[in-house]
Amino acid sequence: MNVLKFGGTSVGSVESIRTLISILQREKAENGSPVVVLSAMGGVTNLLVSMADKAATGQDFSQDLTDLENRHFDVVKALLEVPRQNPVFTKLKLFFNEIEDLLQGVLSLNELTPRTRDRILSYGERCSTLMVSRIADQYIGDSVFADASQFIKTDSNFGNAKVQTEVTDLLVRGFYEENKDKLIFVTGFIGSNDTGSITTLGRGGSDYTAAIVGAALNVNAIEIWTDVNGMMTADPRIVKKAFPLTELSYTEAMELSYFGAKVIYPPTMIPAFLKKIPIVIRNTFEPDFRGTVISHETNRSEHSVKGISSINDISVLNLTGSGMVGKAGFSGRLFSLLAREQINVVLITQSSSEHSITFAVNPADAFKAKQLIEHEFELELEAKKIESPVIEEGLSVLAIVGENMKETPGIAGTLFHALGRNGVNVRAIAQGSSEYNISVIISRHDLAKALNAVHDAFYTDLKKTLNIFCVGTGNIGKTLFRQLEEHREFLKQQNGILINVIGISNSKKMVFNPEGLSLQNWEETLNASEEVASLDKFVLKMKELNLPNAVFVDNTASPAPISKYAEILSSTISVVTCNKIGNSSSYAQYKAFKDAAHKHGVDFFYETNVGAGLPIIRTLKDLMMSGDRVVRIEAILSGTISFIFNNFKGDLTFHDVVKTAQEKGYTEPDPRDDLSGTDFMRKILILARDAGHELEPEDVKIGAILPKACMEATSVEDFYEQLKANNYFFEKLKNDAESSGKVLRYIGKLENGQATISLEMVDENHPFYMLSGSDNIISFTTDRYKERPLVVKGPGAGAEVTAAGVFADIVNVGA
């Protein structure tokens, strides 16, 4: 036989009660008649509390009472045949009259005692249980209504009564023996004291009733039917990836419940724990789902951490002072004081020097605890042996729980890396020697981010989520969004990565969606947005959302976003950029970005600053990280200039080649922006800095390609006229190269800390001789690659390869 408990949502409507009846029919057919424990209809307990409070303060409660009656009467009319309705209406009406009499008494006396409050609240369970028992009698047959106050005996601690186990067990068994051939419906949440006064069992009281009855009858299992698929790995309202756990030990479930898991409460499990009776959490609205089994012994899980729980609102008191050091009994005196005053301490941690004690309490108890300590330790405070306790508010507790954590190396490291990586500061830490639980106190503002980050860290079989914010929707931005959408499934299946684009901004508008923007129609969404683009507001919104694994992506060529890099990195948000301006301005700025990323444990990636999609930055980094020493770097890092000189041969004039390059979109609107070598200078400067040289832009020596007259032309048209006028200059360069069996190449070099860019002639023995199209090429000569340099070659320009490089940088964030 099983005990089945149904919560408020399970009896909250006509449809949910129909579902409940079908579950009971199946249960009876498979396992025999269960004992059924019911909560009040969803929202009824709160309504009764509201009516009681209104009566105590002289307010009218009549409309609430009418609403209460109508909710129950509507269910009776919908689910019971007409001949069966009147007896139920009569009994319910008696209950409602008793409620009204009690409320009128409270109103007259202008006083609400704990005893009266418990009596009023008890009618929620009485009404629902009577009603459902009569409905079950019609559909299943032989059902009996049982008021738990007849057989659950407690002390007189109204509101949170303690059960008298021995006498309760005897009375429960006696009632069952008298009615064991019937389907028994028991009111949850309530009991009675020795004088027969109604008491309530506190938070989770109906679950507790089910456990008390189940333990007294030594049932096969206690099933808690609710509106979720069991105990989850985390709060699904905060962590969208949370999933149901198939099984938990009593210890794991109690730890999770204590730290905020609302599905079940710790007292519920104690009777079952003592009798080793399994507790099963089931979903009324998905009855075929097997739910979570909580039992004495469980199979070893593949996950070291079973669940992540939290207490959303907590206050911390810090007590410090030299008078605590080596003082035997100080902690005992402190916590005995709090216990006497019924102040529950959630978490305790003490420094090994004994100079400070930190403990967490419910915020409602924090000020009272402070006053009690100041009174108790008045002499020590006056003698300056301890400081006055300091209250910290706006905090939360996050706890990871699991029996597999015991003696598993790296659990704490994974936890703190996930928190640190996302900028979550830990205020206090507690871990018991059992190693079932590690608890940390963090800012309440960071709780959602922390829960998601830690969940991603411990459940690696799930997909890692990156939340990205993009500025710039030009060719590179558009191409990046297309690539992200095209490869979404590949990233999920092959790399275990989900990329959510949370925010997009161009120069006119911006748009956000914390759940992720669709990349199939992002342009329409952005154009329809009413938010005017503002870089300051974009960064502020990104920080306010406070999402885990956040990445700021700069797809612009503007100096504006660069002014925000340091602030963004300091907010523990990674930066991925194809914008060269930031890293090629002053060395101090370049170093500031690097230092900020390192200090705050985030990534600053800019692979596309040098060679679009070519792995140049990463190759250099890997060489240096492995201890290799760079002797010389030679490179052609301008796709535009590469195209021009690769095609400047035969009968083609330099004017014609430059014109063709512009028509193909390889050059800027004014080709001199490319041919001046400034863009090339930025790239070789970034390489030099990454190679460890503190160079400034003016330290790079740039050799001219164009005659002075071409550079000083007043317009683009005039520039092309000057190219024609100076054709002899270019023809001489070409003829000199061809006559000596060489080709012209614009080459950047880094050697002995000196960076130069110059037009050179190279022969067929040089690795740059065979370059074609708009390819870039770079040659690393190092201690290890001395005889044959390491060469990287490929397309160095274009939206496709640049966006692919940004894409790769995003995927590598946090890797």
Side-chain angles (χ1 to χ4, degrees):
M1 184 188 70
N2 296 327
V3 169
L4 275 63
K5 178 265 175 179
F6 291 89
T9 53
S10 301
V11 292
S13 67
V14 171
E15 286 307 312
S16 62
I17 293 173
R18 282 200 178 104
T19 304
L20 181 155
I21 295 298
S22 67
I23 291 169
L24 294 180
Q25 288 171 328
R26 184 168 68 177
E27 175 69 17
K28 185 175 181 181
E30 293 177 357
N31 301 311
S33 294
V35 174
V36 183
V37 177
L38 297 180
S39 295
M41 293 182 75
V44 164
T45 299
N46 288 338
L47 187 61
L48 290 167
V49 170
S50 175
M51 284 192 287
D53 290 339
K54 284 180 179 178
T57 54
Q59 299 178 59
D60 179 42
F61 54 80
S62 57
Q63 184 58 52
D64 289 342
L65 186 58
T66 301
D67 292 343
L68 182 68
E69 292 182 10
N70 290 338
R71 281 198 66 184
H72 290 82
F73 287 169
D74 289 346
V75 172
V76 172
K77 291 173 185 176
L79 294 177
L80 278 178
E81 298 167 352
V82 173
R84 290 176 175 263
Q85 291 178 8
N86 280 338
V88 183
F89 284 145
T90 301
K91 185 60 179 173
L92 286 174
K93 190 61 180 175
L94 286 173
F95 282 154
F96 297 137
N97 290 340
E98 290 172 14
I99 295 171
E100 185 174 18
D101 290 343
L102 286 166
L103 292 172
Q104 287 294 350
V106 171
L107 183 65
S108 298
L109 295 171
N110 204 26
E111 180 183 21
L112 178 62
T113 65
R115 184 202 305 249
T116 304
R117 179 184 286 270
D118 275 10
R119 182 72 180 268
I120 293 169
L121 296 186
S122 72
Y123 285 98
E125 274 69 20
R126 289 180 180 184
C127 291
S128 67
T129 306
L130 170 74
M131 179 178 69
V132 175
S133 68
R134 299 282 66 82
I135 294 168
D137 193 64
Q138 172 180 299
Y139 289 96
I140 303 173
D142 272 343
S143 300
V144 62
F145 163 68
D147 187 330
S149 63
Q150 299 173 38
F151 45 76
I152 293 182
K153 292 299 176 180
T154 72
D155 63 12
S156 297
N157 184 25
F158 296 102
N160 191 23
K162 302 297 183 291
V163 175
Q164 297 171 358
T165 305
E166 292 184 9
V167 66
T168 294
D169 285 356
L170 289 172
L171 292 172
V172 169
R173 292 188 200 113
F175 184 89
Y176 177 74
E177 286 301 320
E178 292 174 8
N179 299 277
K180 63 182 178 181
D181 296 328
K182 299 176 182 178
L183 185 56
I184 302 171
F185 286 82
V186 180
T187 55
F189 184 54
I190 65 175
S192 65
N193 64 9
D194 292 339
T195 64
S197 295
I198 298 294
T199 58
T200 59
L201 304 180
R203 190 181 185 194
S206 293
D207 292 352
Y208 195 15
T209 302
I212 292 165
V213 172
L217 300 177
N218 285 307
V219 297
N220 181 59
I222 299 165
E223 296 185 358
I224 308 294
W225 290 80
T226 180
D227 56 359
V228 294
N229 285 332
M231 295 280 277
M232 309 286 281
T233 50
D235 187 340
R237 294 167 301 179
I238 300 175
V239 181
K240 301 303 181 185
K241 295 181 188 176
F243 59 91
L245 295 160
T246 56
E247 60 179 4
L248 286 168
S249 69
Y250 290 123
T251 303
E252 290 170 331
M254 290 184 79
E255 290 278 4
L256 286 171
S257 299
Y258 181 72
F259 282 97
K262 304 297 190 297
V263 176
I264 196 168
Y265 299 99
T268 299
M269 289 177 277
I270 295 172
F273 177 83
L274 295 174
K275 293 288 187 74
K276 297 184 179 179
I277 299 171
I279 299 173
V280 187
I281 312 297
R282 303 285 296 276
N283 189 344
T284 303
F285 308 101
E286 289 188 43
D288 292 328
F289 193 86
R290 300 310 301 169
T292 303
V293 178
I294 303 170
S295 58
H296 183 68
E297 294 183 355
T298 61
N299 296 316
R300 186 168 181 83
S301 170
E302 60 183 303
H303 299 295
S304 55
V305 169
K306 278 286 185 70
I308 305 160
S309 196
S310 60
I311 300 175
N312 292 355
D313 196 9
I314 209 78
S315 291
V316 165
L317 279 84
N318 294 306
L319 196 59
T320 63
S322 58
M324 297 161 55
V325 179
K327 186 75 172 178
F330 186 92
S331 296
R333 187 177 161 196
L334 170 63
F335 295 114
S336 294
L337 166 70
L338 298 174
R340 284 197 307 270
E341 299 296 329
Q342 300 294 304
I343 294 177
N344 183 43
V345 176
V346 175
L347 178 151
I348 306 166
T349 182
Q350 181 174 14
S351 65
S352 58
S353 67
E354 301 182 29
H355 186 266
S356 67
I357 295 177
T358 298
F359 60 94
V361 298
N362 187 298
D365 294 329
F367 184 69
K368 180 182 177 183
K370 183 178 188 292
Q371 288 183 312
L372 288 169
I373 293 168
E374 288 175 339
H375 183 266
E376 175 71 18
F377 296 96
E378 184 177 2
L379 294 177
E380 287 87 348
L381 285 164
E382 288 180 359
K384 303 295 184 183
K385 290 184 177 180
I386 63 171
E387 302 294 328
S388 182
V390 176
I391 299 174
E392 292 186 63
E393 298 177 321
L395 302 174
S396 297
V397 177
L398 180 149
I400 58 172
V401 172
E403 290 187 342
N404 288 354
M405 289 165 54
K406 188 175 179 65
E407 298 178 1
T408 302
I411 296 293
T414 301
L415 169 65
F416 294 118
H417 179 266
L419 295 174
R421 169 86 192 173
N422 286 280
V424 179
N425 185 40
V426 176
R427 313 292 283 273
I429 306 162
Q431 179 179 11
S433 59
S434 65
E435 298 185 61
Y436 287 147
N437 176 314
I438 302 176
S439 304
V440 295
I441 294 178
I442 60 176
S443 167
R444 187 167 63 237
H445 174 68
D446 289 329
L447 181 61
K449 177 166 72 169
L451 284 169
N452 280 278
V454 173
H455 197 272
D456 266 6
F458 282 108
Y459 299 101
T460 52
D461 49 332
L462 299 175
K463 313 302 179 191
K464 173 185 174 183
T465 300
L466 296 172
N467 297 298
I468 70 173
F469 298 81
C470 298
V471 293
T473 58
N475 287 338
I476 296 171
K478 288 179 180 177
T479 307
L480 174 64
F481 293 150
R482 176 176 56 76
Q483 290 178 355
L484 288 173
E485 180 63 22
E486 288 174 352
H487 295 89
R488 178 177 292 275
E489 287 305 314
F490 174 82
L491 285 174
K492 280 186 188 179
Q493 301 303 322
Q494 300 299 318
N495 295 10
I497 293 175
L498 292 170
I499 296 179
N500 283 338
V501 177
I502 306 299
I504 299 175
S505 178
N506 57 21
S507 59
K508 297 178 180 177
K509 292 187 175 184
M510 61 185 184
V511 66
F512 297 90
N513 185 344
E515 301 298 321
L517 294 160
S518 169
L519 294 184
Q520 295 179 341
N521 60 350
W522 67 268
E523 282 190 270
E524 292 88 339
T525 304
L526 181 61
N527 291 334
S529 174
E530 296 181 358
E531 287 194 76
V532 177
S534 164
L535 187 60
D536 287 340
K537 290 181 179 178
F538 189 88
V539 172
L540 179 62
K541 180 71 171 179
M542 179 172 62
K543 290 162 63 176
E544 286 177 347
L545 286 172
N546 203 28
L547 296 174
N549 304 317
V551 187
F552 177 78
V553 181
D554 180 6
N555 289 321
T556 74
S558 165
I562 291 156
S563 66
K564 296 291 182 180
Y565 284 5
E567 177 186 349
I568 292 167
L569 292 165
S570 298
S571 302
T572 62
I573 298 171
S574 295
V575 172
V576 169
T577 179
C578 62
N579 189 337
K580 293 182 284 290
I581 298 173
N583 283 328
S584 59
S585 296
S586 71
Y587 179 81
Q589 178 173 271
Y590 163 88
K591 190 173 186 302
F593 296 157
K594 290 279 193 173
D595 290 346
H598 179 73
K599 179 180 178 181
H600 297 282
V602 291
D603 293 314
F604 177 47
F605 289 155
Y606 47 91
E607 183 65 69
T608 52
N609 276 195
V610 174
L614 294 180
I616 294 173
I617 296 289
R618 192 162 289 114
T619 299
L620 175 58
K621 179 181 177 182
D622 289 345
L623 288 171
M624 297 188 67
M625 283 183 66
S626 65
D628 203 354
R629 186 181 67 88
V630 175
V631 176
R632 182 173 60 258
I633 294 175
E634 293 181 279
I636 294 176
L637 296 174
S638 169
T640 303
I641 298 175
S642 179
F643 175 86
I644 289 171
F645 282 110
N646 287 337
N647 287 276
F648 184 40
K649 53 191 175 184
D651 295 332
L652 289 174
T653 66
F654 195 77
H655 167 278
D656 294 339
V657 174
V658 173
K659 194 73 172 176
T660 301
Q662 185 178 33
E663 290 169 356
K664 288 181 174 290
Y666 289 142
T667 75
E668 297 295 329
D670 187 337
R672 286 172 293 181
D673 292 341
D674 298 291
L675 292 167
S676 66
T678 302
D679 185 65
F680 198 156
M681 178 276 294
R682 292 191 176 117
K683 295 177 180 181
I684 201 71
L685 179 63
I686 293 168
L687 275 178
R689 288 171 172 177
D690 278 8
H693 303 289
E694 299 183 13
L695 298 184
E696 299 293 347
E698 56 270 20
D699 295 330
V700 181
K701 297 177 181 178
I702 306 175
I705 295 175
L706 302 174
K708 186 177 181 181
C710 296
M711 289 300 298
E712 292 177 352
T714 56
S715 65
V716 173
E717 291 76 13
D718 187 28
F719 162 71
Y720 277 113
E721 290 301 318
Q722 289 297 328
L723 287 183
K724 289 180 180 178
N726 286 275
N727 186 55
Y728 68 91
F729 172 82
F730 300 109
E731 287 299 314
K732 184 177 187 306
L733 288 174
K734 180 172 66 174
N735 293 333
D736 287 348
E738 288 178 350
S739 63
S740 57
K742 298 180 180 180
V743 292
L744 294 169
R745 297 288 184 257
Y746 197 51
I747 299 174
K749 290 183 182 179
L750 176 67
E751 191 170 12
N752 297 323
Q754 302 294 314
T756 60
I757 306 171
S758 59
L759 188 63
E760 299 183 23
M761 293 186 287
V762 300
D763 60 24
E764 59 186 6
N765 296 317
H766 197 282
F768 296 176
Y769 180 82
M770 296 299 293
L771 204 63
S772 62
S774 61
D775 281 358
N776 280 191
I777 188 168
I778 185 165
S779 166
F780 295 100
T781 302
T782 70
D783 286 346
R784 294 174 191 158
Y785 294 91
K786 188 169 289 185
E787 300 302 322
R788 299 183 64 191
L790 173 63
V791 175
V792 178
K793 175 184 174 184
E800 284 292 334
V801 292
T802 304
V806 174
F807 192 155
D809 275 350
I810 292 171
V811 171
N812 279 301
V813 167

